Amino acid sequence: MAVNEIIIGVDGSAYSLRAVEWAAAEAERRNAALRILHAIPSWLFETSVEPRVRQVREWMRNSGQEVIDEAAAKARGRAPGVTVSGELVPGGPSRALVEAAEGALMVVVGSHGAGSLTRLLLGSVALQVASHAPCPAVVVRQAERDAAHDVVVGVDGSAGSQAALGFGFEEAALRKVRLRAVHAWTHPASAGPGDMQPLVFDPDLVGAEEGRVLAESLAGWQERFPDVEVVRDVVRGRPSRVLTAASSGADLLVVGTRGRGGFAGLVLGSVSHAMLHHVRCPLAVVPNPHR
């Protein structure tokens, strides 16, 4: 059963508080509730007659509640009209967030957590949630910008990019900004698995064909969202590099979990995985509903 609720995972880090601000603003746009979760070890929910264990459990639970209270105060300060709730949940944060996200509008996390090494570009929780969430997963590196900018969607003609386009159009309509559909290519598109790529090709002809792929992907969406201005970008270059550049100054970059290439057994495609590490704005990873 669908719930008009946004899930946000917090751990007390600066990154998670930035994510709280983003999620609160998003809940306000969608007239949705915001549910703040903080994961703690499962044994803290058990009862014990040992006084020292009870003291440790009480201290750790109180510390977790302080994390939730701080995040809730940040959310209410950003969006006073949003209904905010908080909850301590048992177990690892990745699994807790993925399970809680079932039926939610989206799940939001910061790009790093309190336990991340500073040299890492992406925290393990963000990667796991983006890979396995049953709903759109948003990874936030910075707080919401004051000025509105484009919503950028990576499009490659796959079913995954159709799901990303649907989410992207909805976001652009809510924000009242343009949608920028970006289709990057390096070689002629394959017609099917096992197709041989030509060693020599006319870039102009291929560019025109790739433009058709983008136009077909957008067909129907502009009719459903007539108030959203659409900019079409067909760019020759590696998709990860093209989308990284396009994310500079954007409100949001939206990609699918997997594109038309890669191995069917992979949950997260190479482009979406690269974007998690290098994106320059908040990133939404949208699962294919038929995966």
Side-chain angles (χ1 to χ4, degrees):
M1 181 176 65
V3 178
N4 191 33
E5 181 178 70
I6 292 175
I7 304 294
I8 170 76
V10 298
D11 61 6
S13 67
Y15 287 98
S16 73
L17 291 177
R18 291 171 190 167
V20 166
E21 289 189 307
W22 189 94
E26 183 70 10
E28 185 175 52
R29 275 188 290 268
R30 291 176 174 266
N31 193 27
L34 183 64
R35 183 180 170 204
I36 300 171
L37 301 183
H38 176 62
I40 58 177
S42 300
W43 66 269
L44 294 178
F45 289 84
E46 300 171 359
T47 58
S48 173
V49 296
E50 170 60 44
R52 287 177 296 180
V53 174
R54 288 204 309 268
Q55 291 174 358
V56 171
R57 184 175 67 245
E58 183 178 352
W59 175 79
M60 292 184 70
R61 286 178 65 101
N62 288 341
S63 297
Q65 188 60 49
E66 289 175 2
V67 169
I68 290 177
D69 292 344
E70 181 184 17
K74 179 75 74 173
R76 293 187 179 107
R78 179 64 179 82
V82 170
T83 299
V84 180
S85 62
E87 182 182 352
L88 294 172
V89 290
S94 302
R95 182 170 184 175
L97 288 172
V98 169
E99 290 178 352
E102 187 67 46
L105 291 176
M106 68 186 70
V107 57
V108 183
V109 294
S111 57
H112 292 66
S116 299
L117 298 176
T118 55
R119 73 176 190 277
L120 296 179
L121 293 174
L122 183 73
S124 60
V125 173
L127 177 59
Q128 290 298 316
V129 170
S131 300
H132 300 290
C135 63
V138 178
V139 179
V140 180
R141 291 186 180 275
Q142 59 189 11
E144 186 85 353
R145 290 186 173 95
D146 292 331
H149 297 77
D150 295 353
V151 169
V152 177
V153 183
V155 183
D156 66 0
S158 66
S161 70
Q162 281 296 303
L165 273 170
F167 186 82
F169 267 99
E170 187 176 11
E171 283 290 323
L174 287 168
R175 295 164 183 268
K176 296 180 173 57
V177 299
R178 297 186 309 178
L179 181 135
R180 184 179 174 195
V182 179
H183 176 65
W185 64 277
T186 54
H187 293 87
S190 298
D195 270 5
M196 295 293 292
Q197 298 290 330
L199 297 177
V200 179
F201 55 86
D202 185 332
D204 292 334
L205 292 177
V206 175
E209 176 61 20
E210 298 294 340
R212 184 186 62 79
V213 170
L214 179 57
E216 289 181 352
S217 296
L218 289 169
W221 289 113
Q222 290 178 276
E223 287 74 15
R224 290 177 61 182
F225 295 89
D227 295 332
V228 175
E229 179 185 353
V230 178
V231 176
R232 304 183 186 188
D233 282 351
V234 179
V235 184
R236 184 180 181 184
R238 290 179 58 183
S240 57
R241 291 183 179 177
V242 170
L243 290 175
T244 297
S247 70
S248 294
D251 262 7
L252 181 69
L253 173 66
V254 186
V255 295
T257 48
R258 291 187 63 252
R260 65 189 179 193
F263 298 96
L266 295 178
V267 176
L268 201 63
S270 60
V271 174
S272 49
H273 189 279
M275 290 303 94
L276 283 165
H277 287 275
H278 301 297
V279 69
R280 297 168 184 170
C281 68
L283 171 72
V285 180
V286 183
N288 182 349
H290 306 296
R291 71 179 182 183

